[in-house]
Amino acid sequence: QVQLVESGGGLVHSGGSLRLSCAASGFTLDDYAIGWFRRAPGKEREGVSRIRLSDGNTYYSDSVKGRFTISGDNAKNIVWLQMNSLQPEDTAVYYCAFGSRLGAMWADYEYDYWGQGTQVTVSS
């Protein structure tokens, strides 16, 4: 079974940076996507970014474009989310998810497996 483990969350001041990581295991596919999602207090879960590991194709939501950078190591099945210029509205629990099938749910993938989440808190 696919397992995803996130790390790197924490508390930072406005304007600070964090780097999240997602380690994936339990599969042999080389054509898949890892997406980052977040759920802020009082809001529904939203997609943040995703990367297609086979070729490195990336996608960003409008709210984080220019501030966040996603990258991955296909050989090691690790994905990072570098978050810069963090603002209080970025405060949320961040989840990574595994997608191996094309879909229309978000950024062209269906996500079947999810990590447990890591808390990101940005203070003013």
Side-chain angles (χ1 to χ4, degrees), residues 12-124:
V12 297
H13 292 290
S14 180
S17 299
L18 285 173
R19 190 185 190 189
L20 307 182
S21 65
C22 175
S25 62
F27 63 95
T28 58
L29 297 172
D30 60 359
D31 186 8
Y32 65 98
I34 295 291
W36 283 99
F37 298 77
R38 67 186 181 187
R39 178 168 288 168
K43 298 182 179 180
E44 295 185 347
R45 185 179 63 197
E46 63 175 336
V48 176
S49 182
R50 75 108 173 99
I51 184 168
R52 190 167 61 211
L53 273 297
S54 60
D55 60 6
N57 174 268
T58 59
Y59 174 87
Y60 300 92
S61 67
D62 291 340
S63 63
V64 307
K65 187 175 296 184
R67 299 188 297 122
F68 292 8
T69 302
I70 191 169
S71 60
D73 186 328
N74 193 29
K76 297 182 178 180
N77 297 328
I78 299 176
V79 170
W80 298 272
L81 183 67
Q82 178 67 46
M83 305 185 295
N84 297 326
S85 301
L86 286 164
Q87 302 299 313
E89 55 264 34
D90 296 314
T91 295
V93 177
Y94 284 71
Y95 303 86
C96 67
F98 175 92
S100 62
R101 296 175 293 176
L102 295 176
M105 184 175 69
W106 190 79
D108 304 323
Y109 282 87
E110 293 183 7
Y111 297 91
D112 300 319
Y113 301 93
W114 296 79
Q116 62 186 12
T118 184
Q119 176 71 49
V120 171
T121 303
V122 185
S123 66
S124 60

